[in-house]
Amino acid sequence: MILALDIGGTKLSAAWIQDQECIARKQVPMQHDEAGFLAALREVTQSDYGIDRVAVAATGYLREGRVWSVNLNTIPFWKGFPLGQVLEQQFNCPVIMLNDAQAAAWGEYLPRREQCSDLLFITLSTGVGGGLICDGKLRIGPQGLAGHIGHATVSVAPLDPNAGKCGCGRTGCLEHIASGTALARQATAMFNRRVDSRELFALAAGDPQANAILDNAAAAVAQAIADTLMVVDIQEVVLGGSVGLAEGMIERVGRALQAFPALFSLPVTAALGGGDAGLLGAADWARHH
Ligand code: ADP
Ligand code: BMX
Ligand code: ZN
């Protein structure tokens, strides 16, 4: 039995997978301090199943069993946190870990592998994550950073004048414009009241300002896709995360990409695994590693 965990900036999900079939699933809100996180982890993993392997898809970059935030506003205590060791002690079995978007990239590549060898997965979620498949292989990188497209910069600016810096310390990051956190920040500034990303999508149907925030974010995503195409050459882009999969977002990104010259027009499709793309990818990765 594989226990797959997806640890995101907002939610912590667990799935019990046997013979490639998910037999149970649980989800709790993510906690952003160490004690709260450890309690949430115990709660979400509590079961009577025997576990042979733990497969982890986690926000942040992973190296030598430890996890670091790129954006320290998301999880402030992810500064070399020994996640691998914590899970090994709890389950007494091998723990195989990947960045969440890298895991989802692998999971989304598998059903497309007959037609596609080079793919970019993007999650628009609490942050903006990315995973790259190059020549049929998942690119992880020497520091686990490969695919971190959320912290590549774009020339599109956020629509709130006091946006400040991204939590990674740089200005102009894609994540600071197109993540759920950034959408909520821009909408809250624009409407002068607390508006979250979900409400922004609802407002966009009738409100030109709400619509402009989403189109601006989609234009930023399209820029990052075009840059990735030019650096590594890809055949397809897969979008996931609650923002990426929200009503009309894929179409917005597709339209923004079509505004570029024909060379840049790539298919943009939805994650076949939906919100479970990271869990499914991590589970398959763990099965083979
Ligand atoms: P995680 O980052 O933990 O993987 P999600 O993929 O669910 O989790 O992304 C969380 C972000 O998506 C939050 O900013 C949240 O406000 C936003 N969000 C959640 N549901 C929706 C929705 N239906 N429409 C738009 N935004 C959403
Ligand atoms: C951030 C970064 C990435 C992650 C991406 C999406 C942190 C903690 N995470 O750019 O490693 O892949 O967010 O993650 O710096 P999520 O939290 O939105 O699921
Ligand atoms: Zn950044």
Side-chain angles (χ1 to χ4, degrees), residues 72-159:
L72 276 164
N73 295 336
T74 307
I75 305 181
F77 75 96
W78 249 206
K79 291 179 185 164
F81 180 74
L83 182 60
Q85 202 188 351
V86 166
L87 291 167
E88 270 159 23
Q89 277 169 3
Q90 187 178 343
F91 293 99
N92 203 18
C93 72
V95 175
I96 293 99
M97 306 198 292
L98 281 177
N99 163 266
D100 54 359
Q102 291 173 350
W106 179 249
E108 291 298 315
Y109 161 66
L110 295 173
R112 294 171 172 85
R113 68 201 306 174
E114 296 295 315
Q115 318 86 266
C116 177
S117 59
D118 295 81
L119 170 154
L120 169 66
F121 172 84
I122 301 178
T123 173
L124 305 178
S125 36
T126 312
V128 173
L132 273 172
I133 305 293
C134 301
D135 296 329
K137 293 202 178 90
L138 175 67
R139 171 89 187 151
I140 296 173
Q143 306 179 83
L145 283 169
H148 269 80
I149 198 170
H151 304 283
T153 60
V154 289
S155 61
V156 174
L159 294 185

Side-chain angles (χ1 to χ4, degrees), residues 3 76 146 156 215 283:
L3 169 63
V156 174
D215 274 344

Side-chain angles (χ1 to χ4, degrees), residues 6-12 30 100 123-127 179-181 196-199 201 241-243 246-247:
D6 189 344
I7 309 173
T10 300
K11 56 188 207 259
L12 177 45
M30 178 56 176
D100 54 359
T123 173
L124 305 178
S125 36
T126 312
S179 65
T181 312
D196 68 11
S197 153
R198 193 189 300 256
E199 190 190 352
F201 274 86
S242 291
V243 173
E247 173 88 38

Side-chain angles (χ1 to χ4, degrees), residues 42-267:
R42 270 192 302 276
E43 183 191 342
V44 81
T45 57
Q46 207 285 316
S47 83
D48 295 330
Y49 298 118
I51 308 295
D52 310 310
R53 218 158 250 247
V54 180
V56 181
T59 188
Y61 62 101
L62 293 125
R63 225 165 60 192
E64 292 151 12
R66 294 175 180 269
V67 60
W68 280 261
S69 286
V70 176
N71 183 343
L72 276 164
N73 295 336
T74 307
I75 305 181
F77 75 96
W78 249 206
K79 291 179 185 164
F81 180 74
L83 182 60
Q85 202 188 351
V86 166
L87 291 167
E88 270 159 23
Q89 277 169 3
Q90 187 178 343
F91 293 99
N92 203 18
C93 72
V95 175
I96 293 99
M97 306 198 292
L98 281 177
N99 163 266
D100 54 359
Q102 291 173 350
W106 179 249
E108 291 298 315
Y109 161 66
L110 295 173
R112 294 171 172 85
R113 68 201 306 174
E114 296 295 315
Q115 318 86 266
C116 177
S117 59
D118 295 81
L119 170 154
L120 169 66
F121 172 84
I122 301 178
T123 173
L124 305 178
S125 36
T126 312
V128 173
L132 273 172
I133 305 293
C134 301
D135 296 329
K137 293 202 178 90
L138 175 67
R139 171 89 187 151
I140 296 173
Q143 306 179 83
L145 283 169
H148 269 80
I149 198 170
H151 304 283
T153 60
V154 289
S155 61
V156 174
L159 294 185
D160 50 341
N162 302 315
K165 285 187 177 179
C166 174
C168 74
R170 289 218 298 168
T171 306
C173 289
L174 173 62
E175 177 160 307
H176 209 49
I177 301 175
S179 65
T181 312
L183 293 177
R185 189 197 70 238
Q186 292 167 86
T188 297
M190 194 169 267
F191 294 104
N192 235 334
R193 65 178 179 86
R194 175 91 195 115
V195 178
D196 68 11
S197 153
R198 193 189 300 256
E199 190 190 352
L200 177 66
F201 274 86
L203 289 172
D207 185 301
Q209 283 185 303
N211 202 46
I213 295 177
L214 292 181
D215 274 344
N216 189 59
V221 174
Q223 274 198 0
I225 291 171
D227 286 353
T228 306
L229 171 68
M230 288 298 120
V231 176
V232 292
D233 195 2
I234 43 176
Q235 295 157 306
E236 184 169 345
V237 180
V238 179
L239 225 56
S242 291
V243 173
L245 297 173
E247 173 88 38
M249 195 59 190
I250 290 177
E251 292 75 9
R252 284 178 196 271
V253 172
R255 281 196 298 274
L257 212 48
Q258 275 161 24
F260 298 156
L263 179 62
F264 296 88
S265 72
L266 278 171

